[in-house]
PDB file of all heavy atoms in Angstrom:
ATOM      1  N   ARG A  44     136.584 110.693 118.058  1.00 89.00           N
ATOM      2  CA  ARG A  44     137.995 111.067 118.082  1.00 89.00           C
ATOM      3  C   ARG A  44     138.104 112.589 118.072  1.00 89.00           C
ATOM      4  O   ARG A  44     137.430 113.257 117.288  1.00 89.00           O
ATOM      5  CB  ARG A  44     138.731 110.453 116.893  1.00 89.00           C
ATOM      6  CG  ARG A  44     139.017 108.968 117.046  1.00 89.00           C
ATOM      7  CD  ARG A  44     139.892 108.461 115.918  1.00 89.00           C
ATOM      8  NE  ARG A  44     139.121 108.312 114.699  1.00 89.00           N
ATOM      9  CZ  ARG A  44     138.536 107.171 114.319  1.00 89.00           C
ATOM     10  NH1 ARG A  44     138.651 106.095 115.073  1.00 89.00           N
ATOM     11  NH2 ARG A  44     137.860 107.107 113.195  1.00 89.00           N
ATOM     12  N   ILE A  45     138.987 113.088 118.932  1.00 91.00           N
ATOM     13  CA  ILE A  45     139.197 114.536 119.014  1.00 91.00           C
ATOM     14  C   ILE A  45     140.691 114.827 119.048  1.00 91.00           C
ATOM     15  O   ILE A  45     141.506 113.989 119.428  1.00 91.00           O
ATOM     16  CB  ILE A  45     138.517 115.142 120.257  1.00 91.00           C
ATOM     17  CG1 ILE A  45     139.142 114.582 121.536  1.00 91.00           C
ATOM     18  CG2 ILE A  45     137.027 114.881 120.245  1.00 91.00           C
ATOM     19  CD1 ILE A  45     138.693 115.300 122.800  1.00 91.00           C
ATOM     20  N   ASN A  46     141.033 116.031 118.596  1.00 92.00           N
ATOM     21  CA  ASN A  46     142.389 116.586 118.700  1.00 92.00           C
ATOM     22  C   ASN A  46     143.446 115.616 118.183  1.00 92.00           C
ATOM     23  O   ASN A  46     143.346 115.131 117.049  1.00 92.00           O
ATOM     24  CB  ASN A  46     142.651 117.027 120.135  1.00 92.00           C
ATOM     25  CG  ASN A  46     141.688 118.141 120.550  1.00 92.00           C
ATOM     26  OD1 ASN A  46     141.209 118.904 119.718  1.00 92.00           O
ATOM     27  ND2 ASN A  46     141.411 118.245 121.836  1.00 92.00           N
ATOM     28  N   ASP A  47     144.446 115.273 119.016  1.00 88.00           N
ATOM     29  CA  ASP A  47     145.551 114.447 118.517  1.00 88.00           C
ATOM     30  C   ASP A  47     145.190 112.968 118.408  1.00 88.00           C
ATOM     31  O   ASP A  47     146.031 112.158 118.036  1.00 88.00           O
ATOM     32  CB  ASP A  47     146.784 114.618 119.402  1.00 88.00           C
ATOM     33  CG  ASP A  47     146.488 114.391 120.878  1.00 88.00           C
ATOM     34  OD1 ASP A  47     145.332 114.044 121.203  1.00 88.00           O
ATOM     35  OD2 ASP A  47     147.408 114.567 121.697  1.00 88.00           O
ATOM     36  N   ARG A  48     143.934 112.590 118.705  1.00 91.00           N
ATOM     37  CA  ARG A  48     143.503 111.209 118.491  1.00 91.00           C
ATOM     38  C   ARG A  48     143.047 110.964 117.048  1.00 91.00           C
ATOM     39  O   ARG A  48     142.748 109.830 116.670  1.00 91.00           O
ATOM     40  CB  ARG A  48     142.365 110.852 119.448  1.00 91.00           C
ATOM     41  CG  ARG A  48     142.800 110.788 120.911  1.00 91.00           C
ATOM     42  CD  ARG A  48     141.642 110.379 121.811  1.00 91.00           C
ATOM     43  NE  ARG A  48     142.062 110.272 123.195  1.00 91.00           N
ATOM     44  CZ  ARG A  48     142.588 109.188 123.736  1.00 91.00           C
ATOM     45  NH1 ARG A  48     142.760 108.108 123.008  1.00 91.00           N
ATOM     46  NH2 ARG A  48     142.943 109.170 125.019  1.00 91.00           N
ATOM     47  N   ILE A  49     142.947 112.014 116.262  1.00 91.00           N
ATOM     48  CA  ILE A  49     142.537 111.889 114.863  1.00 91.00           C
ATOM     49  C   ILE A  49     143.739 111.423 114.056  1.00 91.00           C
ATOM     50  O   ILE A  49     144.764 112.108 114.008  1.00 91.00           O
ATOM     51  CB  ILE A  49     141.987 113.231 114.346  1.00 91.00           C
ATOM     52  CG1 ILE A  49     140.775 113.648 115.176  1.00 91.00           C
ATOM     53  CG2 ILE A  49     141.633 113.142 112.870  1.00 91.00           C
ATOM     54  CD1 ILE A  49     140.280 115.048 114.888  1.00 91.00           C
ATOM     55  N   ARG A  50     143.634 110.251 113.425  1.00 89.00           N
ATOM     56  CA  ARG A  50     144.786 109.603 112.801  1.00 89.00           C
ATOM     57  C   ARG A  50     144.811 109.673 111.273  1.00 89.00           C
ATOM     58  O   ARG A  50     145.741 109.180 110.654  1.00 89.00           O
ATOM     59  CB  ARG A  50     144.826 108.126 113.221  1.00 89.00           C
ATOM     60  CG  ARG A  50     144.923 107.907 114.731  1.00 89.00           C
ATOM     61  CD  ARG A  50     146.157 108.544 115.288  1.00 89.00           C
ATOM     62  NE  ARG A  50     146.343 108.259 116.710  1.00 89.00           N
ATOM     63  CZ  ARG A  50     147.275 108.826 117.460  1.00 89.00           C
ATOM     64  NH1 ARG A  50     148.099 109.704 116.925  1.00 89.00           N
ATOM     65  NH2 ARG A  50     147.374 108.508 118.744  1.00 89.00           N
ATOM     66  N   ALA A  51     143.798 110.238 110.648  1.00 90.00           N
ATOM     67  CA  ALA A  51     143.770 110.274 109.184  1.00 90.00           C
ATOM     68  C   ALA A  51     144.898 111.167 108.656  1.00 90.00           C
ATOM     69  O   ALA A  51     145.362 112.090 109.325  1.00 90.00           O
ATOM     70  CB  ALA A  51     142.414 110.789 108.698  1.00 90.00           C
ATOM     71  N   ARG A  52     145.352 110.867 107.444  1.00 92.00           N
ATOM     72  CA  ARG A  52     146.410 111.686 106.840  1.00 92.00           C
ATOM     73  C   ARG A  52     145.900 113.065 106.479  1.00 92.00           C
ATOM     74  O   ARG A  52     146.607 114.065 106.640  1.00 92.00           O
ATOM     75  CB  ARG A  52     146.966 110.981 105.601  1.00 92.00           C
ATOM     76  CG  ARG A  52     147.739 109.707 105.897  1.00 92.00           C
ATOM     77  CD  ARG A  52     148.328 109.142 104.615  1.00 92.00           C
ATOM     78  NE  ARG A  52     149.118 107.936 104.876  1.00 92.00           N
ATOM     79  CZ  ARG A  52     149.740 107.242 103.948  1.00 92.00           C
ATOM     80  NH1 ARG A  52     149.688 107.638 102.665  1.00 92.00           N
ATOM     81  NH2 ARG A  52     150.441 106.161 104.272  1.00 92.00           N
ATOM     82  N   ILE A  54     142.144 115.568 106.391  1.00 93.00           N
ATOM     83  CA  ILE A  54     140.763 115.717 106.841  1.00 93.00           C
ATOM     84  C   ILE A  54     140.158 116.953 106.199  1.00 93.00           C
ATOM     85  O   ILE A  54     140.864 117.901 105.840  1.00 93.00           O
ATOM     86  CB  ILE A  54     140.677 115.837 108.380  1.00 93.00           C
ATOM     87  CG1 ILE A  54     141.541 117.000 108.871  1.00 93.00           C
ATOM     88  CG2 ILE A  54     141.068 114.529 109.060  1.00 93.00           C
ATOM     89  CD1 ILE A  54     141.423 117.264 110.354  1.00 93.00           C
ATOM     90  N   PRO A  69     145.882 116.770 109.781  1.00 93.00           N
ATOM     91  CA  PRO A  69     145.297 116.971 111.113  1.00 93.00           C
ATOM     92  C   PRO A  69     146.097 117.919 111.991  1.00 93.00           C
ATOM     93  O   PRO A  69     145.513 118.700 112.745  1.00 93.00           O
ATOM     94  CB  PRO A  69     145.266 115.553 111.694  1.00 93.00           C
ATOM     95  CG  PRO A  69     145.200 114.658 110.497  1.00 93.00           C
ATOM     96  CD  PRO A  69     146.004 115.337 109.453  1.00 93.00           C
ATOM     97  N   PHE A  70     147.441 117.893 111.911  1.00 93.00           N
ATOM     98  CA  PHE A  70     148.227 118.744 112.806  1.00 93.00           C
ATOM     99  C   PHE A  70     148.018 120.218 112.494  1.00 93.00           C
ATOM    100  O   PHE A  70     148.042 121.065 113.393  1.00 93.00           O
ATOM    101  CB  PHE A  70     149.718 118.364 112.743  1.00 93.00           C
ATOM    102  CG  PHE A  70     150.422 118.738 111.483  1.00 93.00           C
ATOM    103  CD1 PHE A  70     151.044 119.974 111.350  1.00 93.00           C
ATOM    104  CD2 PHE A  70     150.473 117.852 110.410  1.00 93.00           C
ATOM    105  CE1 PHE A  70     151.705 120.317 110.192  1.00 93.00           C
ATOM    106  CE2 PHE A  70     151.127 118.201 109.249  1.00 93.00           C
ATOM    107  CZ  PHE A  70     151.750 119.428 109.126  1.00 93.00           C
ATOM    108  N   LEU A  83     139.347 120.125 117.933  1.00 94.00           N
ATOM    109  CA  LEU A  83     139.125 119.549 116.615  1.00 94.00           C
ATOM    110  C   LEU A  83     138.371 118.235 116.832  1.00 94.00           C
ATOM    111  O   LEU A  83     138.882 117.316 117.468  1.00 94.00           O
ATOM    112  CB  LEU A  83     140.454 119.295 115.912  1.00 94.00           C
ATOM    113  CG  LEU A  83     140.370 118.781 114.465  1.00 94.00           C
ATOM    114  CD1 LEU A  83     139.735 119.837 113.562  1.00 94.00           C
ATOM    115  CD2 LEU A  83     141.758 118.410 113.953  1.00 94.00           C
ATOM    116  N   VAL A  84     137.151 118.164 116.316  1.00 93.00           N
ATOM    117  CA  VAL A  84     136.264 117.028 116.575  1.00 93.00           C
ATOM    118  C   VAL A  84     135.944 116.347 115.256  1.00 93.00           C
ATOM    119  O   VAL A  84     135.514 116.993 114.294  1.00 93.00           O
ATOM    120  CB  VAL A  84     134.962 117.486 117.259  1.00 93.00           C
ATOM    121  CG1 VAL A  84     134.079 116.283 117.579  1.00 93.00           C
ATOM    122  CG2 VAL A  84     135.265 118.275 118.521  1.00 93.00           C
ATOM    123  N   GLU A  85     136.134 115.021 115.213  1.00 93.00           N
ATOM    124  CA  GLU A  85     135.802 114.233 114.024  1.00 93.00           C
ATOM    125  C   GLU A  85     134.304 113.951 114.029  1.00 93.00           C
ATOM    126  O   GLU A  85     133.801 113.219 114.868  1.00 93.00           O
ATOM    127  CB  GLU A  85     136.597 112.924 114.025  1.00 93.00           C
ATOM    128  CG  GLU A  85     136.501 112.131 112.722  1.00 93.00           C
ATOM    129  CD  GLU A  85     137.357 110.887 112.767  1.00 93.00           C
ATOM    130  OE1 GLU A  85     137.175 110.093 113.712  1.00 93.00           O
ATOM    131  OE2 GLU A  85     138.196 110.700 111.878  1.00 93.00           O
ATOM    132  N   PRO A  93     137.830 112.062 106.063  1.00 93.00           N
ATOM    133  CA  PRO A  93     136.964 112.306 107.218  1.00 93.00           C
ATOM    134  C   PRO A  93     136.721 113.802 107.425  1.00 93.00           C
ATOM    135  O   PRO A  93     137.583 114.631 107.130  1.00 93.00           O
ATOM    136  CB  PRO A  93     137.759 111.705 108.390  1.00 93.00           C
ATOM    137  CG  PRO A  93     138.668 110.706 107.754  1.00 93.00           C
ATOM    138  CD  PRO A  93     139.015 111.256 106.411  1.00 93.00           C
ATOM    139  N   CYS A  95     136.066 116.919 109.927  1.00 95.00           N
ATOM    140  CA  CYS A  95     136.291 117.354 111.299  1.00 95.00           C
ATOM    141  C   CYS A  95     135.825 118.805 111.435  1.00 95.00           C
ATOM    142  O   CYS A  95     135.888 119.582 110.481  1.00 95.00           O
ATOM    143  CB  CYS A  95     137.769 117.249 111.679  1.00 95.00           C
ATOM    144  SG  CYS A  95     138.388 115.546 111.638  1.00 95.00           S
ATOM    145  N   ARG A  96     135.385 119.126 112.628  1.00 95.00           N
ATOM    146  CA  ARG A  96     134.864 120.464 112.886  1.00 95.00           C
ATOM    147  C   ARG A  96     135.612 121.091 114.055  1.00 95.00           C
ATOM    148  O   ARG A  96     135.899 120.429 115.045  1.00 95.00           O
ATOM    149  CB  ARG A  96     133.367 120.404 113.195  1.00 95.00           C
ATOM    150  CG  ARG A  96     132.691 121.753 113.273  1.00 95.00           C
ATOM    151  CD  ARG A  96     131.226 121.606 113.613  1.00 95.00           C
ATOM    152  NE  ARG A  96     130.575 122.909 113.612  1.00 95.00           N
ATOM    153  CZ  ARG A  96     129.857 123.392 112.600  1.00 95.00           C
ATOM    154  NH1 ARG A  96     129.705 122.661 111.509  1.00 95.00           N
ATOM    155  NH2 ARG A  96     129.295 124.582 112.671  1.00 95.00           N
TER     156      ARG A  96
END
Side-chain angles (χ1 to χ4, degrees):
R44 284 187 284 267
I45 64 170
N46 298 333
D47 52 3
R48 292 182 178 273
I49 300 171
R50 301 301 185 188
R52 292 184 178 180
I54 56 175
F70 71 90
L83 184 65
V84 183
E85 190 177 55
C95 297
R96 189 181 183 99

